[in-house]
Amino acid sequence: AQSVSQHNHHVILSEAASLELGCNYSYGGTVNLFWYVQYPGQHLQLLLKYFSGDPLVKGIKGFEAEFIKSKFSFNLRKPSVQWSDTAEYFCAVILNPTGGGNKLTFGTGTQLKVEL
Amino acid sequence: SQTIHQWPATLVQPVGSPLSLECTVEGTSNPNLYWYRQAAGRGLQLLFYSVGIGQISSEVPQNLSASRPQDRQFILSSKKLLLSDSGFYLCAWSGRAGETQYFGPGTRLLVL
């Protein structure tokens, strides 16, 4: 079955450390890729997305992600994290987007804690 | 701008009781609407989606049902809640192309 894997369930970093969260999906066709973030007590928010074109996409708050088709990966990166980046991060994929009621398949999420 | 509302924010219900969770969207017309559930330690799972009034697609067999009585209203229901229905329920909307989904604040349901 098609799935989305986030291998890092809990990550603890110090401020200014670099971040990379892994996301892999298992599907050989066309995909739309997303990273969502949920800050404590807040809505799930869109961080960035990739549909086509440049495989390196930039999102809000200094985050970026790179789509590597050959590796079925869409890893999230930030060069220098801040305490305010403490949140849960979800990778999500639309498999074979049809332009209708597309189903988002989510990974299990990664809890990031940034320590001062 | 578009906004999405869900209520109630928190709900504690006994096993066997009925359920009705409401989601409304403002600032857009003819949205696609979605219900997701997030269980502790797991990702979000799509429960239902709707591309129009009265049109409901179910993704997983379960104890829940959904209805869309108006263009921008999406309701999640159950006739008799089970313990396993506890979780965090999120409503989302997207445009007709269905590409990017935007989420509401969620309802935390605890079934005792």
Side-chain angles (χ1 to χ4, degrees), chain B residues 39-97:
Chain B
R42 301 169 71 174
L44 283 79
Q45 181 184 37
L46 179 65
L47 301 177
F48 301 95
Y49 70 90
S50 171
V51 298
I53 295 174
Q55 301 178 62
I56 309 294
S57 297
S58 174
E59 284 296 304
V60 292
Q62 59 202 306
N63 183 44
L64 301 167
S65 62
S67 61
R68 185 168 176 175
Q70 300 179 43
D71 180 48
R72 290 170 289 175
Q73 184 185 32
F74 204 24
I75 296 172
L76 185 69
S77 303
S78 174
K79 292 182 179 178
K80 288 186 178 182
L81 282 168
L82 306 172
L83 286 173
S84 58
D85 292 323
S86 294
F88 190 51
Y89 289 84
L90 287 164
C91 181
W93 74 272
S94 73
R96 298 306 288 168

Side-chain angles (χ1 to χ4, degrees), chain A residues 34 36 49 90 99-100 102 104, chain B residues 32 36 96-101:
Chain A
F34 305 82
Y36 285 87
K49 60 186 178 182
F90 294 93
N102 290 307
L104 261 179
Chain B
N32 292 342
Y36 288 85
R96 298 306 288 168
E99 290 177 329
T100 303
Q101 294 179 26

